[in-house]
Structures are given as structure tokens and as C-alpha cells.
Amino acid sequence: MNKKAIIYGVAAGLVVSVITLLAYLTDKSLLANWWFGMIMLPIPVIAMVMAGIAIRKEKGSLPFGEAFLNTFITGIVFSVVSVVFQILLYHAIDPELPAYLMEKAMENTAAMMEKFGVPESQMDVAMEEAAKSINDAFTIGNQLMSVIWSAIVWGIVALIIAAIIKRNPETNTTSLDS
């Protein structure tokens, strides 16, 4: 494992945390929109690629296994930094924020269901399930568990990135010309 993998993971986690904090300070309802998370999704992926390329440049080569390990570590470190920030935001900085975000998310879910013409009876059941799911997402335990689930996602992403950025060491072969 290379230190650069950790540095890039921390950097990506801090960038996402700062953007989240700015959104919170500007208009906290942004945090309840699905597209807000989608906008930030490329940040850790870019960090994983940049870490892999930086390590490959430093070493001159980067076998697949090492590329995978380092890009995976970058993704995991990103997740840990992000989750620590979320726990601080939701449980220390603004403990009322999860309830606010749950309300906004429920409003967004109801509006989407109405747009798709979901019958009211089905909408009530779906809204109850959504409320429980959203509420559970803000518990410290589930936030910590998200690091484990994200490990699966970052593992898949790291496999793809490693396959693309790997560079095997050049072997020095000499031909026998007699």
C-alpha cells in the first residue's frame, strides 16, 4: 500500500465534506435531493484514478494487484472520512438535520410518486417503508455500516480502474543472435 492512496482518499473525503458543508450552510434542502449525491459521485472515482496514476508514475509500473489495492484503499479512506463528517454533521453540528432531511426526502418521494400516477393506497404503503428506510439511514450504526457496503462498490470500481491503469514492469529480454 502506498501513502498516496491514503492522501488521495483523504483529499476526496475532505472535498466532498466541504461541498456538503457549503450546501448545508447555503440551502440544507439540497442535501435531500438525489442529484446532489450524484454530482459528487465522480469525486472519489477521480481520486482513485489520480492515486493510481500517481503511484504508477512514481514506480514506473503498476501491476494489476497493486493498482487494485491502492485504488481500493483510496475509496475506503474516502468513505471513512465522509462518514465521519456525516456523523459530526447529523449528530453534533445539527441533530435536527436528519428529521428535516427526512421530511424533505418524503416530500420529494411523494411528488415523484404522484408524477408517475401511483395509486394512493400503494403510495401510503411505499411512504411508510420509505420513512423507515430514510430514518434508519441517519443512525450512527447504519452510517458506519455504509462504509462496509461502500467497500463492495469501491471494490468493483477499483477493479475497473486497476484494469485500465495497470502497467506491468518491462521485462528486459535479449535475443540470441548467433
Side-chain angles (χ1 to χ4, degrees):
M1 176 179 62
N2 192 300
K3 264 192 339 188
K4 287 184 192 282
I6 294 170
I7 291 167
Y8 278 90
V10 169
L14 291 175
V15 167
V16 166
S17 297
V18 167
I19 292 170
T20 301
L21 183 61
L22 290 173
Y24 167 74
L25 295 171
T26 305
D27 178 7
K28 61 185 175 183
S29 68
L30 290 171
L31 302 177
N33 291 315
W34 65 270
W35 55 264
F36 183 76
M38 296 306 286
I39 287 172
M40 291 195 292
L41 185 62
I43 294 170
V45 175
I46 291 168
M48 292 168 77
V49 170
M50 289 174 63
I53 290 172
I55 294 165
R56 185 180 72 189
K57 275 185 180 177
E58 177 183 281
K59 294 183 157 207
S61 66
L62 191 63
F64 177 81
E66 196 175 334
F68 168 75
L69 177 65
N70 285 293
T71 55
F72 180 68
I73 295 291
T74 302
I76 295 300
V77 170
F78 159 77
S79 293
V80 169
V81 171
S82 297
V83 166
V84 167
F85 172 75
Q86 288 172 6
I87 289 171
L88 287 172
L89 179 61
Y90 299 145
H91 299 282
I93 296 171
D94 188 352
E96 306 295 317
L97 185 59
Y100 173 81
L101 293 177
M102 185 175 129
E103 180 184 318
K104 288 295 181 189
M106 295 302 292
E107 288 172 11
N108 293 343
T109 302
M112 185 179 66
M113 288 181 175
E114 286 173 7
K115 189 184 285 187
F116 287 120
V118 175
E120 184 126 0
S121 60
Q122 289 179 343
M123 193 149 84
D124 291 340
V125 172
M127 291 298 286
E128 281 181 36
E129 290 175 17
K132 181 171 177 11
S133 166
I134 293 167
N135 195 39
D136 288 349
F138 291 109
T139 65
I140 290 176
N142 280 341
Q143 287 178 307
L144 292 172
M145 285 297 294
S146 73
V147 173
I148 294 169
W149 288 109
S150 68
I152 296 167
V153 172
W154 296 133
I156 294 167
V157 172
L159 285 170
I160 295 166
I161 292 171
I164 295 168
I165 67 168
K166 70 176 172 63
R167 182 179 296 152
N168 292 324
E170 292 185 23
T171 56
N172 198 2
T173 58
T174 56
S175 61
L176 298 173
D177 292 328
S178 310

